[in-house]
């Protein structure tokens, strides 16, 4: 008995750590300011991804609905482009705005946790563990829907917790609005439907546990539930109606448009002779579809020609699939081919085209002119069951992301990013040049032109504008043998040129050489290193001889912020692994003390919402990884990674409280 009393006393001391309201608010602000300082040197990374990052920026430039229709203008949901446009209008750096939105989402969540009875110290711990997740420091440098989803999702969970606990209409109003935003961020709306279904069940049974009346429980929840779902429906319908007015499709994007889904579902109905993993619609399937659908046959020259070969390359590189268009890219290939034949000149023509494909193929299937199979959902390969044996491996691949290392990369722009695309990033993301410096580029070498000495060596951009230059050259007597016909030249032939190198600039700029006669010679560093001479518009005269002896990037000293970011990326996974181990023990404690856990406590409803949110998204991408494409990219799981850490902390905390309650009962005289 004394042993239990000692343990109970220790748990009591841990449980009763006190923190005043003012100290709690100050603590939250301090943690948030620390995170903002930690990432203050980060900036938006310029990706050349035409269908994601660049597409969002182009849509934001026209406030989404102001853009002219094209095969890519309506392919994504509107929430992120509208958010980018709003931030740009306010003049905020988009990297900072993404961080503030992310912090705001978790501020709402910990406020809801406080309402659910989570202590202030525990709430601050949850907040810090969530916002300091190293994946946020890296991924928020990109323009991706996953980042917005990761910020809005905790806000949604916080709103649902408030409605669950307080049943107030004003909570239901703003939660419905936030849900409407989340609905229009990404395509996987099924996860929101599942979360809301679980919420309704929890809402009903929480009310029932208080009233013990089915009728009274239904009467208690209908107003807040109707308000929440009504506002959500209003947002969804308003966006769909706006899309219909502009793009002629009553849906949040053309990927989820009824016409496109109908065409794709019709293609899935055709049963192939051979099932190929990751390939829901094979060459064989397409060949059969061409025979029965004159409309689909219009795409044959493109899908079986260069357009199709281009999309086959993606599956070959990523999945090792040859001569087939893999499932993750067939959606794009289909639309790309349709655009090439002029279908996407207007939204109405595109919708009619896809409806016609669906009608012709479905008619052939119904008339038994094609072998068929049952399709339960559009965009879902009916041969999924053939991939069940791959699920364990996919589960391991996706699970590894939660305990992976997230190093800080000194990122540069994509090399293939064109100047006007860089300018689009600079403009729409309000990128701060001061925080994109990655060091100094230093190039050393020599340059000489017989009878016409070089008087200036510099770096220039694509337009010929000189960005950094040196107007005198140093002696280099050891190279005299290279200029045996001009003994004066080597005395002033050596140069050491340096310039600031920015993440948003070209990491391999062009060198320009100007001689005393005014002749200009231009050549890229890469070409000169390959032995090619700089070119000039001057036809007459001697050529320019030059060589680059060294090229180095001198990195600036690491700041405290960068050093701490790197530490977080390296060691955060150890925290998660320790929490997972603690959660296993905590689960055993809760099972042993089942009679005393008090399931009526609101924290269990909170844990259920967390568990469903994390498990459903992880499960979706396990499924996609096993059946459609390799989905083990951190960005897909980023929305739930911080929530997973929060869930582990809350579960461990609750097990400690239950253990304390049990030990106190056992150690008391009456126990």
């Amino acid at each position: 008995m004394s042993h239990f009393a000692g343990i109970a006393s220790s748990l009591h001391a841990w449980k009763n750590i006190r923190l005043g309201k003012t100290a709690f608010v100050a603590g939250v602000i301090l943690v948030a300011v620390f995170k903002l300082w930690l990432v203050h040197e980060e900036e938006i990374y310029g990706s050349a991804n035409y269908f994601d990052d660049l597409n969002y920026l182009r849509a934001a430039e026209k406030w989404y609905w102001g853009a002219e229709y094209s095969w890519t203008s309506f392919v994504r949901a509107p929430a992120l482009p509208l958010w980018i446009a709003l931030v740009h209008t306010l003049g905020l750096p988009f990297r900072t705005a993404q961080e503030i939105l992310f912090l705001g989402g978790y501020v709402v969540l910990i406020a809801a946790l406080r309402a659910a009875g989570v202590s202030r110290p525990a709430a601050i711990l949850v907040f810090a563990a969530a916002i300091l997740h190293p994946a946020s420091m890296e991924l928020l440098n990109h323009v991706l829907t996953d980042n917005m989803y990761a910020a809005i999702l905790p806000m949604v969970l916080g709103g649902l917790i408030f409605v669950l606990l307080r049943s107030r209409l004003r909570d239901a109003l703003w939660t419905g609005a936030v849900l409407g935003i989340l609905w229009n961020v990404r395509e996987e709306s099924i996860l929101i439907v599942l979360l809301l279904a679980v919420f309704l069940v929890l809402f009903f049974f929480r009310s029932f546990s208080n009233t013990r009346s089915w009728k009274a429980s239904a009467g208690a929840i209908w107003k807040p539930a109707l308000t929440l779902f009504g506002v959500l429906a209003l947002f969804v319908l308003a966006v769909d109606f706006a899309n219909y007015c502009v793009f002629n499709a009553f849906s949040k994007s053309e990927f989820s448009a009824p016409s496109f889904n109908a065409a794709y579902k019709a293609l899935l109905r055709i049963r192939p002779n051979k099932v190929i993993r990751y390939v829901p619609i094979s060459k064989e399937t397409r060949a059969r579809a061409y025979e029965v659908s004159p409309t689909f046959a219009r795409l044959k020259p493109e899908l079986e020609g260069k357009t199709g070969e281009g999309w086959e390359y993606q599956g070959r590189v990523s999945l090792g699939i040859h001569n087939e268009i893999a499932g993750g890219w067939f959606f794009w290939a289909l639309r790309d081919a349709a655009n090439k034949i002029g279908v996407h000149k207007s939204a109405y023509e595109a919708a009619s085209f896809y409806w016609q494909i669906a009608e012709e193929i479905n008619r052939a299937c119904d008339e038994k002119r094609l072998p068929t199979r049952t399709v339960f959902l559009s965009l879902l390969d009916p041969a999924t069951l053939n991939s069940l044996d791959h699920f364990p491996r996919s589960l391991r691949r996706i699970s590894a992301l939660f305990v992976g290392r997230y190093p800080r990369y000194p990122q540069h722009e994509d090399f293939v990013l064109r100047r006007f695309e860089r300018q689009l990033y600079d403009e729409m993301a309000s990128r701060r040049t001061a925080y994109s410096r990655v060091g100094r580029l230093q190039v050393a070498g020599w340059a000489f032109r017989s009878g016409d000495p070089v008087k200036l060596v510099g770096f220039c951009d694509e337009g010929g504008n000189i960005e950094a230059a040196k107007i005198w050259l140093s002696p280099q007597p050891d190279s005299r043998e290279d200029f045996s016909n001009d003994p004066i030249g080597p005395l002033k032939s050596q140069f050491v040129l340096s310039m600031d190198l920015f993440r948003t600039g070209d990491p391999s700029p062009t060198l320009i050489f100007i001689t005393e006669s005014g002749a200009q010679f231009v050549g890229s560093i890469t070409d000169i290193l390959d032995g090619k001479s700089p070119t000039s518009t001057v036809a007459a005269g001697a050529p320019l001889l030059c060589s680059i002896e060294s090229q180095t990037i001198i990195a600036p000293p690491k700041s405290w912020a960068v050093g701490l970011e790197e530490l977080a990326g390296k060691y955060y996974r150890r925290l998660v692994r320790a929490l997972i181990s603690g959660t296993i023990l905590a689960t055993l404690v809760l099972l042993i003390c089942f009679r005393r856990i008090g399931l009526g406590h609101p924290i269990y409803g909170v844990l259920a919402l967390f568990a469903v949110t994390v498990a459903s998204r992880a499960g979706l991408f396990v499924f996609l990884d096993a059946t459609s494409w390799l989905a083990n990219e951190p960005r897909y799981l980023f929305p739930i990674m911080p929530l997973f850490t929060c869930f582990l902390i809350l579960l461990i905390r609750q097990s400690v409280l239950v253990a304390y309650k049990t030990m106190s009962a056992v150690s008391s005289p009456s126990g």
Side-chain angles (χ1 to χ4, degrees):
M1 187 72 70
S2 61
H3 174 69
F4 285 119
I7 296 176
S9 177
S10 299
L11 293 175
H12 179 74
W14 183 89
K15 171 180 175 290
N16 284 287
I17 298 175
R18 300 297 181 186
L19 192 68
K21 184 177 180 180
T22 302
F24 169 68
V25 173
V28 171
I29 294 174
L30 184 64
V31 173
V33 170
F34 173 73
K35 175 63 184 299
L36 290 172
W37 169 80
L38 198 63
V39 299
H40 78 276
E41 295 184 29
E42 301 295 339
E43 192 47 89
I44 293 297
Y45 164 77
S47 169
N49 192 322
Y50 182 85
F51 302 108
D52 286 321
D53 309 52
L54 280 170
N55 195 33
Y56 302 133
L57 293 174
R58 289 194 305 270
E61 196 174 21
K62 302 294 184 180
W63 282 87
Y64 191 74
W65 290 300
E68 293 184 7
Y69 176 78
S70 70
W71 75 286
T72 58
S73 62
F74 180 43
V75 77
R76 298 297 193 184
L80 180 58
L82 293 175
W83 166 240
I84 296 171
L86 176 61
V87 171
H88 174 255
T89 301
L90 296 175
L92 295 174
F94 188 65
R95 178 59 178 83
T96 303
Q98 287 204 120
E99 196 70 55
I100 292 173
L101 186 66
F102 182 67
L103 295 175
Y106 279 94
V107 166
V108 173
L109 182 59
I110 64 165
L113 293 179
R114 285 287 300 128
V118 176
S119 66
R120 293 185 179 115
I124 289 181
L125 178 61
V126 167
F127 181 63
I131 68 168
L132 295 176
H133 196 290
S136 70
M137 302 176 195
E138 177 67 23
L139 291 173
L140 289 176
N141 292 342
H142 298 257
V143 182
L144 294 169
T145 53
D146 312 86
N147 295 334
M148 188 175 185
Y149 204 95
I152 301 297
L153 185 58
M155 203 176 297
V156 165
L157 282 176
L160 293 177
I161 292 169
F162 276 128
V163 176
L164 183 67
L165 298 178
R166 305 190 297 205
S167 301
R168 296 195 305 199
L169 293 185
R170 65 182 182 185
D171 290 329
L173 278 170
W174 71 259
T175 303
V178 175
L179 272 166
I181 296 172
L182 187 69
W183 187 280
N184 287 287
V185 175
R186 288 182 57 85
E187 296 294 333
E188 55 267 21
S189 304
I190 185 66
L191 299 182
I192 301 176
V193 174
L194 178 60
L195 176 62
L196 291 177
V198 172
F199 164 75
L200 278 180
V201 172
L202 292 173
F203 198 0
F204 182 83
F205 279 100
R206 175 169 174 76
S207 179
F208 180 78
S209 65
N210 294 327
T211 64
R212 296 297 175 182
S213 167
W214 298 100
K215 185 176 181 180
S217 299
I221 72 171
W222 78 268
K223 285 186 178 180
L226 184 63
T227 301
L228 188 151
F229 283 93
V231 174
L232 170 59
L234 184 63
F235 265 71
V236 172
L237 292 175
V239 170
D240 289 356
F241 181 72
N243 288 339
Y244 177 78
C245 293
V246 178
F247 302 121
N248 199 51
F250 197 80
S251 61
K252 68 178 174 183
S253 73
E254 210 159 23
F255 263 161
S256 57
S259 57
F260 185 79
N261 281 339
Y264 193 80
K265 186 175 181 180
L267 288 166
L268 287 176
R269 286 189 68 187
I270 304 173
R271 177 169 52 82
N273 291 328
K274 179 183 178 182
V275 174
I276 305 173
R277 186 189 179 200
Y278 291 135
V279 183
I281 299 173
S282 62
K283 283 183 179 290
E284 173 201 349
T285 300
R286 299 199 300 270
R288 290 176 173 175
Y290 296 142
E291 294 176 358
V292 300
S293 173
T295 305
F296 186 66
R298 292 174 57 193
L299 300 178
K300 184 176 180 179
E302 295 295 336
L303 287 177
E304 312 309 325
K306 290 185 178 180
T307 300
E309 290 173 2
W311 291 104
E312 286 176 6
Y313 172 80
Q314 302 294 334
R316 183 165 63 252
V317 171
S318 302
L319 304 171
I321 297 173
H322 296 271
N323 301 317
E324 293 286 358
I325 303 175
W329 294 275
F330 186 79
F331 310 120
W332 293 101
L334 179 59
R335 294 175 56 77
D336 192 7
N339 179 63
K340 293 285 178 58
I341 66 170
V343 165
H344 283 275
K345 290 179 180 178
S346 70
Y348 178 81
E349 185 176 351
S352 300
F353 177 79
Y354 293 121
W355 280 123
Q356 190 65 25
I357 289 176
E359 181 182 349
E360 291 169 355
I361 294 177
N362 285 328
R363 186 188 308 119
C365 290
D366 295 339
E367 294 173 356
K368 309 300 181 183
R369 288 185 282 140
L370 289 173
T372 62
R373 56 185 178 176
T374 302
V375 180
F376 295 101
L377 295 172
S378 60
L379 310 184
L380 178 63
D381 186 359
T384 296
L385 294 179
N386 295 325
S387 301
L388 285 178
D389 55 333
H390 298 285
F391 273 70
R393 182 181 179 185
S394 294
L395 178 61
R396 290 193 297 271
R397 285 162 50 82
I398 298 300
S399 300
L401 295 176
F402 290 92
V403 292
R405 180 179 293 181
Y406 293 92
R408 181 183 186 274
Y409 295 104
Q411 297 169 323
H412 301 278
E413 300 288 83
D414 277 356
F415 291 158
V416 296
L417 203 65
R418 292 167 289 185
R419 175 167 293 275
F420 74 88
E421 292 171 335
R422 284 201 189 119
Q423 291 172 347
L424 179 63
Y425 274 101
D426 292 339
E427 171 66 19
M428 295 307 299
S430 301
R431 296 198 294 187
R432 304 157 298 174
T433 304
Y435 293 123
S436 63
R437 182 174 177 270
V438 295
R440 288 187 68 80
L441 174 64
Q442 188 174 84
V443 176
W446 54 263
F448 170 75
R449 190 185 190 210
S450 180
D452 190 13
V454 176
K455 69 174 184 180
L456 181 146
V457 181
F459 292 114
C460 68
D461 59 23
E462 295 174 356
N465 300 309
I466 297 177
E467 298 180 338
K470 196 164 190 177
I471 60 174
W472 56 272
L473 280 69
S474 305
Q476 190 181 18
D478 59 344
S479 65
R480 186 177 295 275
E481 63 272 13
D482 296 320
F483 311 103
S484 57
N485 61 338
D486 195 333
I488 299 177
L491 297 179
K492 292 185 179 181
S493 61
Q494 187 179 30
F495 65 86
V496 177
L497 189 63
S498 64
M499 68 176 289
D500 284 333
L501 187 62
F502 295 95
R503 187 179 300 153
T504 57
D506 188 346
S508 182
T510 299
L511 286 179
I512 184 170
F513 304 86
I514 301 178
T515 66
E516 288 187 356
S517 68
Q520 296 186 13
F521 296 81
V522 177
S524 70
I525 293 176
T526 303
D527 288 343
I528 296 174
L529 286 171
D530 289 341
K532 299 178 182 178
S533 299
T535 60
S536 174
T537 56
V538 179
L544 179 79
L545 302 178
C546 69
S547 174
I548 294 177
E549 298 173 340
S550 66
Q551 177 187 209
T552 57
I553 295 177
I554 304 172
K558 288 184 181 178
S559 65
W560 278 94
V562 170
L564 290 174
E565 273 192 76
E566 292 177 344
L567 282 176
K570 185 176 182 180
Y571 294 110
Y572 190 93
R573 60 177 182 164
R574 296 187 180 182
L575 169 66
V576 178
R577 287 176 175 174
L579 290 173
I580 292 174
S581 300
T583 300
I584 295 173
L585 180 60
T587 303
L588 291 175
V589 170
L590 292 175
L591 290 174
I592 293 171
C593 306
F594 180 76
R595 292 186 177 180
R596 296 185 182 274
I597 63 175
L599 287 176
H601 194 284
I603 192 62
Y604 295 105
V606 171
L607 290 172
L609 289 175
F610 271 75
V612 170
T613 303
V614 172
S616 60
R617 188 169 189 84
L620 171 65
F621 284 97
V622 168
F623 173 81
L624 293 174
D625 187 84
T627 61
S628 298
W629 73 86
L630 299 182
N632 63 329
E633 291 187 30
R635 69 186 185 98
Y636 296 136
L637 277 296
F638 173 45
I640 58 171
M641 284 179 182
L643 291 175
F644 179 65
T645 306
C646 297
F647 172 78
L648 298 179
I649 294 173
L650 292 173
L651 186 62
I652 292 172
R653 171 190 174 274
Q654 187 61 22
S655 71
V656 170
L657 296 179
V658 170
Y660 164 72
K661 182 178 179 180
T662 302
M663 296 300 179
S664 298
V666 172
S667 61
S668 65
S670 60

